[in-house]
């Protein structure tokens, strides 16, 4: 018995030494043929990993550490840079509670948003030089903070979180641009905009009380998670006369029927080759979800209201669980291994956006 125990301990140690992506998972279950492993545990002293960004084979994870989401405690958050084997590279410190984290696909700078409930700030990090610069916002138009962001062509869009009013008469999505030392914003989608409900095809009036995570679908549409509202909003042609919003209520099957569910990040599969990374704030870990081949175009989402990670049907809004036994899944990204630089973010013509004036340090 002692020999068997010793062999087991040595085997586990070997897995850890050869790379954290090989650490076995205890307590969390992925349905076959998916494979689940631990990409990285929270470094000592850090907790609540959430947003994830990928650039040139490096992974950046924001740790909220349980700090005040309005920055009122005056504490800092950490953004940790890892290699693809889960080994630590560098830790960046940002003022406030980090939430949104995205790579600008043109400048290859890392944008970190802090304080999603109020008093937001933006920190832009140059991962090559490790320089960083903080930008402030004017008082928000909706009374809350800013949560997440996406780059689309030459524009950047930010979700306007924690609105002060119900109904939400402020913007739920804004466009942003750097002007000197602060970020100027303009409304794009109103919190009470009209939308087409995808399952019923009916026109509805929104009341977005919790704009949260954002991403782009494979067609370049904005995909906004209104978390507590348990729905996703898809915006095509944002900021133009042809702008259109769609609503997708979210649910999953239970023994007693469909149940509405809250979700956080959503990621779209862009290639058959690759893997998903997702963070769990309660379990203090980032996980790798892999299989031999993914179906391009499929949407996966972190249903923190489950809690589970599953595939999302954009016709019905039904989420099918893939990974269970989780605590509080949140940040998620698909790493497309068919791309040379392992950068999953939607891109445009680089030269077209070079004159936008963003500070590249």
């Amino acid at each position: 018995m002692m020999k068997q125990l010793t062999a087991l301990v040595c085997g586990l140690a070997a897995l850890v030494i050869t790379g954290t992506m090989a650490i076995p998972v205890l307590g969390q279950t992925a349905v076959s043929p998916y494979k689940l492993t631990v990409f990285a545990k929270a470094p000592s002293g850090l907790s609540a990993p959430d947003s994830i960004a990928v650039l040139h084979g490096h992974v950046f994870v924001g740790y909220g550490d349980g700090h005040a989401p309005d920055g009122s405690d005056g504490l800092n958050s950490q953004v940790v840079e890892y290699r693809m084997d889960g080994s630590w590279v560098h830790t960046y410190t940002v003022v406030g509670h980090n939430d949104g984290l995205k790579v600008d696909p043109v400048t290859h700078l890392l944008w970190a948003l802090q304080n999603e409930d109020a008093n937001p700030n933006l920190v832009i990090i140059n991962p090559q030089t490790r320089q960083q610069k903080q930008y402030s916002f004017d008082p928000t138009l909706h009374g809350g903070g800013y949560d997440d962001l996406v780059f689309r062509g030459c524009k950047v869009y930010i979700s306007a979180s924690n609105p002060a009013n119900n109904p939400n008469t402020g913007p739920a999505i804004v466009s942003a641009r750097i002007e000197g030392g602060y970020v100027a914003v303009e409304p794009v989608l109103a919190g009470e905009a009209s939308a087409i409900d995808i399952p019923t095809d009916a026109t509805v009036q929104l009341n977005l009380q919790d704009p949260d995570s954002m991403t782009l679908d494979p067609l370049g549409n904005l995909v906004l998670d209104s978390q507590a509202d348990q729905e996703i909003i898809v915006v095509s042609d944002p900021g133009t006369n042809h702008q259109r919003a769609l609503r997708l209520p979210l649910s999953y099957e239970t023994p007693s029927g469909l149940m509405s569910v809250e979700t956080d990040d959503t990621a779209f599969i862009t290639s058959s080759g690759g893997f998903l990374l997702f963070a769990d704030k309660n379990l203090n870990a980032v996980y790798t979800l892999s299989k031999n081949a993914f179906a391009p175009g499929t949407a996966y989402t972190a249903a923190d209201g489950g809690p589970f990670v599953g595939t999302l049907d954009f016709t019905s809004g039904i989420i099918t669980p893939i990974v269970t036994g989780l605590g509080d899944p949140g940040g998620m990204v698909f790493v497309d291994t068919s791309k040379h630089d392992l950068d999953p973010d939607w891109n445009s013509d680089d030269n077209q956006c070079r004159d936008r004036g963003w500070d590249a340090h």
Side-chain angles (χ1 to χ4, degrees), residues 105-152:
V106 172
T107 65
H108 294 171
L109 300 178
L110 182 67
W111 287 43
L113 271 175
Q114 283 66 242
N115 303 340
E116 66 271 28
D117 279 3
N119 312 304
N121 72 72
L122 168 71
V123 174
I124 297 181
I125 299 169
N126 186 328
Q128 192 169 27
T129 65
R130 294 179 178 166
Q131 293 177 294
Q132 58 189 72
K133 184 174 180 179
Q134 182 174 322
Y135 299 85
S136 60
F137 291 85
D138 284 337
T140 59
L141 301 173
H142 62 291
Y146 294 118
D147 190 286
D148 201 3
L149 68 155
V150 294
F151 297 90
R152 183 183 187 274

Side-chain angles (χ1 to χ4, degrees), residues 12-226:
L12 291 176
L15 284 173
V16 174
I17 292 171
T18 55
T20 55
M21 288 185 71
I23 297 176
V25 174
L26 302 177
Q28 294 73 56
T29 303
V31 300
S32 180
Y34 294 90
K35 299 177 180 64
L36 185 70
T37 53
V38 176
F39 172 75
K41 291 283 190 180
S44 178
L46 303 186
S47 63
D50 194 359
S51 294
I52 305 173
V54 177
L55 176 68
H56 298 323
H58 284 205
V59 177
F60 300 84
V61 178
Y63 288 84
D65 296 331
H67 297 163
D70 62 358
S72 58
D73 53 12
L75 299 176
N76 299 328
S77 293
Q78 316 299 321
V79 176
V80 177
E81 179 180 356
Y82 299 93
R83 298 178 183 88
M84 274 297 165
D85 64 358
S87 59
W88 175 88
V89 176
H90 187 73
T91 299
Y92 302 89
T93 299
V94 293
V95 177
H97 180 267
N98 175 254
D99 202 343
L101 194 65
K102 290 286 179 14
V103 171
D104 177 352
V106 172
T107 65
H108 294 171
L109 300 178
L110 182 67
W111 287 43
L113 271 175
Q114 283 66 242
N115 303 340
E116 66 271 28
D117 279 3
N119 312 304
N121 72 72
L122 168 71
V123 174
I124 297 181
I125 299 169
N126 186 328
Q128 192 169 27
T129 65
R130 294 179 178 166
Q131 293 177 294
Q132 58 189 72
K133 184 174 180 179
Q134 182 174 322
Y135 299 85
S136 60
F137 291 85
D138 284 337
T140 59
L141 301 173
H142 62 291
Y146 294 118
D147 190 286
D148 201 3
L149 68 155
V150 294
F151 297 90
R152 183 183 187 274
C154 295
K155 291 185 177 293
V156 58
Y157 298 90
I158 299 178
S159 58
S161 51
N162 193 34
N165 299 311
N166 188 0
N168 180 11
T169 55
I173 299 176
V174 298
S175 63
R177 66 184 185 278
I178 301 296
E179 291 187 353
Y182 81 104
V183 187
V185 304
E186 295 180 358
V188 172
L189 179 73
E192 53 179 358
S194 293
I196 303 296
D197 183 71
I198 294 176
T200 66
D201 206 35
T203 300
V204 296
Q205 184 174 9
L206 302 175
N207 181 22
L208 302 179
Q209 286 298 304
D210 194 18
D212 197 87
S213 299
M214 280 211 304
T215 190
L216 293 175
D217 69 15
L219 298 177
N221 299 314
L222 304 183
V223 178
L224 170 69
D225 167 45
S226 196

Side-chain angles (χ1 to χ4, degrees), residues 251-253 259 261-263 278 280 301-311 319-330 332:
S251 61
Y252 72 108
E253 293 278 3
M259 178 178 291
V261 66
E262 177 179 296
T263 67
F278 70 89
D280 191 302
T301 194
D304 56 316
F308 55 81
V309 165
T311 55
I319 304 167
T320 302
I322 298 296
V323 182
T324 56
L326 299 173
D328 187 8
M332 175 181 287

Side-chain angles (χ1 to χ4, degrees), residues 345-361:
D345 290 324
W346 186 84
N347 205 342
S348 63
D349 182 351
D350 287 5
N351 294 325
Q352 180 183 354
C353 304
R354 288 295 180 186
D355 61 352
R356 57 185 151 191
W358 293 353
D359 182 359
H361 311 300

